Amino acid sequence: MIEYKGMILSELKEESQMAISEEEVKHVAQLSKLSFDESELHGFTESFDEILEMINQLDEVDGSNVEGMFRGTDVQNVMREDKSVSGTERELLFKNVKTTKDGFIQVPTIIDGGEDDA
Amino acid sequence: MPLNKQLTLATNIQSKGRELHMSKYETVIGLEVHVELKTESKMFSPSPAHFGAEPNTNTTVIDWGYPGVLPVMNRGAIAESIKAAVALNCEINPVQSFDRKNYFYPDNPKAYQITQLDQPIGEHGYVEIEVDGEKKKIGITRLHLEEDAGKNIHGTDGSSYVDLNRQGTALMEIVSEPDMRSPEEAYAYLEKVKEIILYTGVSDVKMEEGSMRCDANISIRPFGQDEFGNKVEIKNLNSFNFVRRGLAYEEKRQAKELDADKEIPQETRRYDEAASKTTAMRGKEGSADYRYFPEPDMPVFTVSEEWLSEITASIPELPVSRRARYIADFDLPEYDAMVLTLTPEMSNYFDATVTAGADAKQASNWLMGEVSAYLNEENKALADIKLTPASLAEMISLIQDGTISSKIGKQVFKALAEDGGSAKAYVEKEGLVQMSNPDQLLPIITEILDNNQQSIDDYKAGKKRATGFLVGQIMKATKGQANPGVVNKLLVEEINKR
Amino acid sequence: MTRFDETIRSLNVQLIAGEVTSVQLIENAIARIKELDATFNAFITLNEEAALDAAKASDAKGYTADRPLQGIPLGIKDNIVTKDLKTTAASKMLNDFVPIYNAGVMEKLETAGAIAIGKLNMDEFAMGGSTETSYFGNTLNAWDTARVPGGSSGGSAAAVAAGEVVASLGTDTGGSIRQPASFNGIVGMKPTYGRVSRWGLIAFASSLDQIGPMTRTVEDNAILLEAISGHDQRDSTSADLAVPNYSANLNVGVKGKKIAVPKEFFGAGIDESVQAKVREAIETFKTLGAIVEEVEMPLNKYGIPAYYVIASSEASSNLQRFDGVRYGYRAEGVKNLDDLYLRSRSEGFGMEVKRRIMLGSFSLSSGYYDAYFKKAAKVRRLITDDFKRIFADYDLILGPVSTSTAYKFGEKSADPVEMYMSDLLTIPVNLAGLPGMSVPAGFDEDGLPIGLQIIGNYFAEETMYQAAYAFEQATDFSDKHPE
């Protein structure tokens, strides 16, 4: 198993037939910043299971020695020159913001340490 | 920072103060360095990428992650990062692409950062450091390109404030191998990386402005043990000295834990500048699942042989090579070579002065001495003064051929630094040419001798120093322009005639 | 001439002749929409005032045959951003979102002189096949109001079929133009990936999304695609290729054209009536001189699982920007930032959107990436290679668009998997990035329209239009309209 920054690069899970648990659904919901109440969670887990069953058909296809296709086009080297344009007027960008203050976007305070890895 | 202070930091890195219990354990350090590129526009948007604007004014809908916007890669930023990677001895990947790293945070408007996972700009590089006279190679695992995040300011009023000016700025991440064995080596590595990047010109590498940032990974293990200990990541290291202090604190802390038979958990710790110590931030369980996947909005790109050679050819000569050249070609002392290459500006200025015909040692003396002193005093950079390398070279040859004295040279330098122009023209205009012609000097000498019989008597009585007074009188009479060598010679001749 | 007979071309002729003005067209369209939409609910937002201003300016300029779109009112799917005109993607999340910039296609339409009359209903964020997931209620099928208009471009199709507008823009990620076109008896084109700029298209699945035209006739469709196609430097996946004059050479015919018919397109799960009418259509192509042969696409069915993994994964990431911070819905009275994220997103998104985000996040998450996302990308490559093999020997592929005709409200929405399975015949085209279109090919026993799918090689839209035009001229299915 090769792990890079939390992502497991080479763990092959060819047999992925087991049903998903409510715990796993909760974990994925947390990653997605979605919350479900208990009854929603129950129904959701069931329909999720059905979808995964459909998706597990992928196991029937032999994908060894196949390069994944991750983009809609094969073109390469699309780049722009390093030229700048001036920024968009701040008041225009602020039109859809709910709360601003002194030129900043205002959000509720962050309780945890958050992500400062970048 | 004044030159002499930088020099002290660069050369006096000594492993003092390593305490006794450290002798049981070996420290293993790896660094992740982020460097902002000095491009005109951002990595994936055409917004301006400069530092210090009013909040949220250097942004467009792209930086805001507006619905429907798309990224386009900045060719200049890619070229600049390849430049840095080549200078850091990396192998450049011929086929590359970008990936998305997903996480929510207000300074990350799309809730994903575009970065490189599998195919970074460069891999397998290294830099060479020297600590306590010992040279060592530190491996560079990878250098990849990504977009910087915006900034959050945490208010005391229950709110945070978001400024997206920095969002999207082109950012390199340079990940070292865990090759460093002491905080001093980590410090030397940072100095080296900074120096190389500075010479490539792709970044200002200023920690105080955030264009260079560093996170450190540190673990310790008993000497002789092969496997690494549990790794602790240290964040909030805002200067090279804090990196060194934070690591020094952490290696001691970990050693104490091991001595007390405690386990060191894999975790992230924050360096507290005021208290000079690290405190736990979050454990391994809290680490995020970034759900990396290839960025579908941008195609793959290739780095052709031609492009790579073009970029490689554009890299200026790096300091290591310059130092060697100064010593070998110009016979400069190692100290001079070191000082002259502390910044690319100084080194370029020196090279230009020598190319303009100046004697290398004289040029070095002037740049390290009078010029640096002047810059420090006036708090200026070389680019701010009007003296050109050509006029400095001209001035040095005027001194060497005796047209002006060194003392006058200092006056000439100051004038040229402030007003510019040619040294020769200034010297002529101000009448500063040294008087070396005996026909001009003899009448003056004769007059002085006529008025100072006592000194002549003293000299003849064996008090050779009596000429000092006479020379002084002559210099005074000529407003310092008399050539001291010629004056001495004529004076002795004239006394002996009497 | 009734509202059903109008086309872009016929209106252009009338405008040139001075029989009608653009202002009248806009006023008529607004009146029709206000009347008809009480039933059909095709529009979310009307652009009344700005459209009238644009019409006045257009009338002042005058009309020519080489600017066929000038002064013509068009409907725009509500996931295409329109400057100063509310754009919701049919989501509560964007209920009050007024974009400050225009999509690339809107700039192109403006250049062509076309006038956006309003924004059309759709499945929320284009996730669905029936327009039932819209936050703004169901759009009804003009042929039978008890039935869905298809989706996700249900509003775009219904507005054309009901005679509210002559043409509209839709978007297609897995069949979202072709299936509603089929359900509504109109012509819908999903162009080659990269043909039309995605700048300003609210992304569902970036590697699959394309904007395309929905019209009553093949000629109109060609006219509209011509106007919106072309390179856009702001979209790195936009093709830097010249745009052919699609509408100029429609009358070329299909004589000698080699047509492939995959036998998997006529398998289990596809309604008998659909199969029968499409086979009849293929016979028509034979009589028009085309050479038709059966081919095999054994991996076709794996397109569905591959698509739902890839599209959902990309969507899970694309829709993370809707966090309540810079635009869109923000939950009230939140405790802290995490609460703001959780509540804004949970309250702002509908169930189907949440389901896809969850599926996508799961497919990308640590430990599942290889088995789901990466495997799906491999299957995508294999399906694409199958298409490339076929197009090495053939000019076109023919088959049905959907597994059925328009179904009743609620019939499939309770069972996501059944809903997903009905995209069997459109999804592979998106996975490969190929162009695909739906052309009217008859009616089932209930009088509901059936679409013929024409799939072309990369950037072969011209050949597809020529085939579609030949078929349209040889049949009278396009002349029929709802009661």
Side-chain angles (χ1 to χ4, degrees):
Chain A
M1 190 176 99
I2 300 168
E3 197 180 323
Y4 178 71
K5 291 196 170 180
M7 180 186 150
I8 291 158
L9 295 172
S10 68
E11 187 187 47
L12 275 169
K13 271 183 107 266
E14 282 297 337
E15 296 301 316
S16 37
Q17 312 290 3
M18 74 281 195
I20 191 161
S21 68
E22 288 193 6
E23 275 316 299
E24 276 180 287
V25 170
K26 270 189 195 163
H27 170 68
V28 178
Q30 183 51 41
L31 284 179
S32 312
K33 297 291 178 203
L34 292 172
S35 58
F36 298 97
D37 62 36
E38 283 305 312
S39 69
E40 271 182 326
L41 189 70
H42 194 65
F44 198 86
T45 307
E46 251 176 51
S47 80
F48 210 74
D49 247 354
E50 269 178 58
I51 295 169
L52 287 182
E53 200 178 306
M54 181 270 281
I55 283 167
N56 285 333
Q57 288 178 63
L58 290 173
D59 292 346
E60 297 164 18
V61 184
D62 179 9
S64 44
N65 303 318
V66 178
E67 186 71 23
M69 179 173 166
F70 297 105
R71 292 173 177 85
T73 169
D74 289 335
V75 299
Q76 294 186 336
N77 301 321
V78 181
M79 299 178 184
R80 66 182 170 81
E81 294 308 310
D82 180 24
K83 291 273 179 288
S84 66
V85 299
S86 45
T88 304
E89 203 186 316
R90 186 166 66 196
E91 287 320 302
L92 200 58
L93 287 158
F94 277 4
K95 263 178 78 171
N96 285 291
V97 188
K98 296 283 188 279
T99 48
T100 64
K101 194 175 168 187
D102 301 334
F104 292 90
I105 305 163
Q106 189 178 18
V107 294
T109 201
I110 298 134
I111 283 191
D112 63 350
E115 169 57 35
D116 40 18
D117 192 29
Chain B
M1 196 191 288
L3 277 176
N4 49 4
K5 199 171 161 207
Q6 283 187 37
L7 185 68
T8 315
L9 292 179
T11 52
N12 288 8
I13 297 164
Q14 280 164 18
S15 45
K16 56 186 170 218
R18 304 200 82 198
E19 308 211 348
L20 252 184
H21 55 246
M22 282 317 300
S23 59
K24 269 161 68 183
Y25 303 109
E26 183 181 39
T27 302
V28 176
I29 297 169
L31 297 180
E32 283 176 24
V33 175
H34 282 94
V35 175
E36 267 184 356
L37 291 175
K38 205 168 53 179
T39 49
E40 182 185 323
S41 64
K42 293 183 178 175
M43 186 61 235
F44 303 112
S45 95
S47 314
H50 59 80
F51 175 83
E54 281 288 296
N56 292 306
T57 54
N58 280 350
T59 64
T60 64
V61 283
I62 301 178
D63 313 309
W64 277 59
Y66 243 69
V69 300
L70 297 166
V72 182
M73 42 185 118
N74 178 342
R75 186 181 157 91
I78 292 169
E80 296 288 80
S81 59
I82 292 174
K83 207 187 258 189
V86 171
L88 294 168
N89 304 301
C90 289
E91 292 164 22
I92 306 301
N93 275 312
V95 180
Q96 305 196 14
S97 56
F98 286 97
D99 299 274
R100 290 187 186 178
K101 174 184 179 180
N102 295 285
Y103 65 90
F104 286 85
Y105 209 59
D107 65 10
N108 181 29
K110 302 183 297 299
Y112 59 82
Q113 179 196 28
I114 306 177
T115 179
Q116 291 184 302
L117 181 68
D118 290 333
Q119 296 150 305
I121 293 284
E123 292 174 278
H124 315 302
Y126 67 88
V127 294
E128 206 169 49
I129 61 164
E130 191 177 330
V131 174
D132 292 345
E134 263 183 63
K135 287 188 175 162
K136 183 176 177 183
K137 264 188 189 178
I138 306 295
I140 290 172
T141 315
R142 52 188 276 134
L143 180 152
H144 71 253
L145 191 51
E146 58 191 23
E147 54 178 345
D148 206 346
K151 278 184 182 164
N152 283 338
I153 297 162
H154 303 289
T156 49
D157 56 351
S159 289
S160 288
Y161 297 92
V162 186
D163 173 11
L164 296 177
N165 278 348
R166 198 179 68 177
Q167 164 61 34
T169 303
L171 189 67
M172 299 188 290
E173 181 172 335
I174 302 162
V175 183
S176 84
E177 291 288 313
D179 285 349
M180 287 154 273
R181 293 292 173 268
S182 68
E184 289 72 28
E185 287 188 5
Y187 189 99
Y189 168 81
L190 283 176
E191 279 284 341
K192 198 56 142 189
V193 168
K194 176 177 173 159
E195 177 187 271
I196 291 171
I197 304 269
L198 200 61
Y199 268 79
T200 61
V202 306
S203 173
D204 294 330
V205 272
K206 288 184 181 160
M207 271 193 127
E208 63 275 21
E209 283 182 11
S211 59
M212 181 176 188
R213 283 164 256 160
C214 177
D215 297 326
N217 289 309
I218 175 170
S219 63
I220 62 168
R221 60 182 170 189
F223 275 104
Q225 181 183 305
D226 280 343
E227 57 271 25
F228 291 133
N230 272 344
K231 184 176 77 176
V232 168
E233 183 175 14
I234 312 177
K235 289 184 174 289
N236 196 43
L237 297 165
N238 294 323
S239 77
F240 284 15
N241 275 320
F242 290 141
V243 173
R244 182 163 48 182
R245 282 183 217 155
L247 287 169
Y249 173 85
E250 187 59 25
E251 68 178 355
K252 269 182 244 160
R253 186 191 70 85
Q254 291 187 14
K256 276 186 201 154
E257 295 290 289
L258 289 191
D259 282 347
D261 282 335
K262 286 187 196 154
E263 263 204 24
I264 294 159
Q266 183 166 331
E267 63 180 354
T268 300
R269 299 177 71 87
R270 185 177 185 283
Y271 181 66
D272 180 343
E273 290 170 13
S276 287
K277 59 184 215 172
T278 65
T279 51
M281 265 174 80
R282 59 167 182 253
K284 195 194 176 194
E285 317 74 54
S287 74
D289 180 347
Y290 293 121
R291 292 162 288 138
Y292 283 95
F293 74 104
E295 165 60 273
D297 280 329
M298 285 184 291
V300 297
F301 65 97
T302 55
V303 182
S304 66
E305 292 281 332
E306 296 95 298
W307 196 25
L308 183 56
S309 347
E310 196 185 300
I311 293 168
T312 306
S314 74
I315 301 174
E317 187 186 11
L318 295 176
V320 174
S321 150
R322 291 185 194 223
R323 271 169 218 147
R325 182 162 57 81
Y326 292 173
I327 294 166
D329 295 3
F330 302 141
D331 215 15
L332 291 187
E334 205 174 324
Y335 177 83
D336 287 33
M338 183 75 198
V339 176
L340 289 172
T341 52
L342 277 176
T343 67
E345 289 75 22
M346 179 61 83
S347 177
N348 291 341
Y349 202 100
F350 169 74
D351 278 331
T353 307
V354 173
T355 306
D359 172 77
K361 181 58 190 163
Q362 287 301 318
S364 172
N365 287 349
W366 272 92
L367 285 168
M368 287 171 32
E370 202 63 22
V371 177
S372 293
Y374 176 80
L375 294 178
N376 280 343
E377 215 168 276
E378 303 280 318
N379 197 20
K380 279 181 176 166
L382 272 171
D384 302 331
I385 64 170
K386 289 187 173 155
L387 174 80
T388 64
S391 53
L392 177 59
E394 192 184 29
M395 192 187 87
I396 288 170
S397 32
L398 289 178
I399 296 169
Q400 280 189 310
D401 70 12
T403 309
I404 57 170
S405 65
S406 305
K407 202 174 162 201
I408 293 291
K410 292 180 184 179
Q411 180 194 336
V412 175
F413 159 71
K414 216 163 216 170
L416 295 183
E418 267 148 34
D419 304 318
S422 130
K424 206 168 208 166
Y426 179 80
V427 164
E428 276 165 14
K429 191 177 120 228
E430 296 293 318
L432 298 176
V433 177
Q434 203 160 237
M435 287 169 71
S436 303
N437 187 344
D439 293 346
Q440 274 181 292
L441 288 170
L442 271 177
I444 302 164
I445 292 171
T446 305
E447 197 191 334
I448 302 281
L449 288 177
D450 290 349
N451 296 331
N452 291 283
Q453 188 54 45
Q454 184 60 46
S455 298
I456 299 169
D457 295 345
D458 288 351
Y459 178 80
K460 291 198 166 170
K463 281 188 177 175
K464 299 293 179 205
R465 278 181 309 165
T467 54
F469 171 75
L470 292 168
V471 171
Q473 292 297 303
I474 295 161
M475 294 310 279
K476 202 171 167 189
T478 58
K479 293 179 185 134
Q481 280 170 261
N483 183 327
V486 179
V487 166
N488 264 319
K489 188 167 150 273
L490 289 174
L491 188 65
V492 173
E493 280 172 16
E494 287 304 303
I495 294 175
N496 289 338
K497 279 184 196 166
R498 292 192 184 214
Chain C
M1 193 183 254
T2 74
R3 65 177 200 266
F4 298 107
D5 304 315
E6 287 173 354
T7 63
I8 292 170
R9 187 57 87 193
S10 75
L11 293 179
N12 176 242
V13 169
Q14 286 179 276
L15 284 165
I16 293 170
E19 293 164 21
V20 71
T21 65
S22 177
V23 169
Q24 285 170 322
L25 290 180
I26 299 292
E27 283 169 348
N28 290 347
I30 295 284
R32 275 182 205 172
I33 293 165
K34 283 185 174 165
E35 183 201 334
L36 295 166
D37 242 25
T39 308
F40 295 114
N41 191 37
F43 281 86
I44 294 173
T45 308
L46 281 184
N47 191 30
E48 216 170 323
E49 234 171 89
L52 273 172
D53 288 344
K56 280 176 201 153
S58 174
D59 286 336
K61 262 195 207 161
Y63 297 93
T64 53
D66 62 352
R67 288 176 58 78
L69 285 166
Q70 195 189 314
I72 310 280
L74 299 180
I76 309 296
K77 189 175 178 179
D78 210 19
N79 57 350
I80 295 169
V81 303
T82 44
K83 192 171 184 233
D84 300 329
L85 180 61
K86 196 173 78 158
T87 299
T88 69
S91 181
K92 179 182 177 186
M93 182 60 85
L94 292 178
N95 192 19
D96 61 359
F97 177 63
V98 179
I100 61 169
Y101 78 105
N102 256 332
V105 291
M106 297 314 296
E107 294 170 353
K108 294 245 182 205
L109 286 181
E110 206 172 291
T111 305
I115 298 169
I117 193 139
K119 304 300 292 290
L120 291 156
N121 202 11
M122 54 185 280
D123 281 296
E124 185 181 2
F125 285 103
M127 295 174 186
S130 63
T131 313
E132 288 168 287
T133 70
S134 169
Y135 176 65
F136 300 96
N138 290 336
T139 294
L140 309 191
N141 190 308
W143 298 80
D144 177 351
T145 54
R147 292 175 189 270
V148 301
S152 66
S153 311
S156 301
V160 174
E164 295 179 340
V165 287
V166 287
S168 62
L169 291 187
T171 67
D172 192 318
T173 306
S176 283
I177 286 174
R178 289 159 290 159
Q179 182 255 32
S182 164
F183 280 15
N184 287 276
I186 64 168
V187 182
M189 167 69 94
K190 182 218 91 91
T192 310
Y193 184 82
R195 176 79 290 180
V196 179
S197 169
R198 292 187 296 116
W199 174 256
L201 164 59
I202 299 178
F204 163 11
S206 310
S207 76
L208 301 160
D209 296 339
Q210 266 296 282
I211 298 171
M214 304 180 76
T215 60
R216 293 205 184 101
T217 66
V218 173
E219 185 189 16
D220 277 6
N221 208 280
I223 289 171
L224 193 46
L225 183 62
E226 239 163 71
I228 61 170
S229 293
H231 186 224
D232 186 342
Q233 290 185 339
R234 297 163 299 186
D235 174 2
S236 307
T237 62
S238 157
D240 193 0
L241 294 172
V243 181
N245 198 345
Y246 294 124
S247 60
N249 304 304
L250 289 174
N251 214 355
V252 168
V254 293
K255 201 167 163 52
K257 288 272 186 273
K258 286 196 74 183
I259 290 175
V261 177
K263 74 170 202 250
E264 291 77 9
F265 281 24
F266 295 88
I270 299 160
D271 285 2
E272 282 302 323
S273 57
V274 170
Q275 292 197 33
K277 288 293 170 192
V278 172
R279 285 202 189 281
E280 277 174 34
I282 292 168
E283 286 306 310
T284 306
F285 274 89
K286 282 187 193 164
T287 61
L288 291 170
I291 302 151
V292 179
E293 287 172 3
E294 193 176 76
V295 296
E296 285 183 18
M297 286 197 69
L299 294 177
N300 192 63
K301 69 167 178 170
Y302 298 106
I304 296 178
Y307 170 86
Y308 278 93
V309 168
I310 292 165
S312 303
S313 296
E314 291 183 17
S316 72
S317 175
N318 284 332
L319 269 63
Q320 286 189 153
R321 68 191 64 202
F322 301 105
D323 58 5
V325 172
R326 293 162 313 284
Y327 43 73
Y329 180 77
R330 182 188 283 193
E332 301 273 337
V334 296
K335 297 195 293 274
N336 55 42
L337 182 70
D338 204 50
D339 198 33
L340 171 85
Y341 287 153
L342 285 168
R343 287 195 32 221
S344 299
R345 290 169 59 78
S346 300
E347 292 165 21
F349 289 137
M351 201 44 161
E352 183 60 25
V353 171
K354 290 184 210 173
R355 200 183 338 262
R356 307 247 189 148
I357 290 173
M358 291 286 289
L359 175 59
S361 286
F362 174 77
S363 304
L364 292 173
S365 66
S366 177
Y368 295 100
Y369 179 88
D370 281 340
Y372 290 101
F373 186 74
K374 200 170 176 186
K375 185 66 182 283
K378 289 176 170 204
V379 172
R380 179 180 187 180
R381 171 78 64 196
L382 291 170
I383 289 173
T384 303
D385 288 347
D386 274 355
F387 273 117
K388 284 181 175 167
R389 256 191 301 278
I390 293 173
F391 280 117
D393 295 326
Y394 297 90
D395 299 303
L396 297 167
I397 295 171
L398 294 185
V401 173
S402 181
T403 54
S404 72
T405 52
Y407 45 85
K408 295 201 166 122
F409 286 101
E411 203 177 311
K412 293 192 179 176
S413 52
D415 183 350
V417 172
E418 203 194 329
M419 183 78 104
Y420 298 169
M421 296 306 280
S422 62
D423 300 333
L424 174 73
L425 303 167
T426 46
I427 275 173
V429 176
N430 297 78
L431 289 176
L434 291 164
M437 71 187 293
S438 176
V439 188
F443 301 87
D444 71 2
E445 54 277 18
D446 297 321
L448 297 168
I450 291 168
L452 165 74
Q453 185 170 209
I454 303 174
I455 303 165
N457 205 345
Y458 296 101
F459 301 100
E461 285 88 352
E462 192 169 25
T463 310
M464 294 161 68
Y465 279 135
Q466 287 161 356
Y469 188 77
F471 181 72
E472 183 185 57
Q473 298 306 305
T475 59
D476 63 354
F477 307 123
S478 289
D479 302 339
K480 298 223 168 77
H481 54 76
E483 297 299 309

